Amino acid sequence: MTENEIKLKAIAALTALRSGVGTDYVSDLLGEVVPEHFVVSAAAGPREVGLSVLGQLSQPLSALITGFVLAFQAVADAYDESVPATPTEEILQALALELAREPD
């Protein structure tokens, strides 16, 4: 799967959630970006196996995060252009404060 296809999966997942599609569907959609198989040398030790798997996971997960960020930025820009009473930055700050107050 290409990086652009993974970004599109992120946008599709957000769109599906906002449209009321079930979370199982969204989980399946996002799960498609995780490789089904990992290529690891048969002679690799535990450290090399871990690093290899991590390396093969990092690209699709990075593309997925980039897709979420791009989608958020587009929505935030459109929202802020409507001259809202509360700018996006204030909403994010309030959310961060709320999360910081919650126990883990």
Side-chain angles (χ1 to χ4, degrees):
M1 185 173 296
T2 68
E3 185 173 328
N4 209 39
E5 289 171 330
I6 293 171
K7 290 175 187 176
L8 289 170
K9 292 277 185 192
I11 295 168
L14 291 171
T15 303
L17 282 173
R18 293 297 298 168
S19 300
V21 173
T23 56
D24 288 342
Y25 173 78
V26 174
S27 293
D28 290 344
L29 187 65
L30 294 176
E32 293 175 9
V33 305
V34 177
E36 292 183 17
H37 306 284
F38 297 94
V39 178
V40 179
S41 169
R47 184 176 194 282
E48 290 83 15
V49 169
L51 289 173
S52 178
V53 170
L54 181 61
Q56 292 172 60
L57 275 174
S58 64
Q59 182 187 11
L61 294 180
S62 177
L64 190 64
I65 291 167
T66 300
F68 285 128
V69 170
L70 289 171
F72 171 79
Q73 190 65 44
V75 172
D77 287 346
Y79 173 80
D80 286 342
E81 286 176 10
S82 70
V83 192
T86 308
T88 305
E89 291 84 1
E90 287 183 30
I91 294 170
L92 292 172
Q93 289 169 350
L95 176 60
L97 289 172
E98 182 180 322
L99 289 173
R101 289 187 196 115
E102 290 181 7
D104 285 335

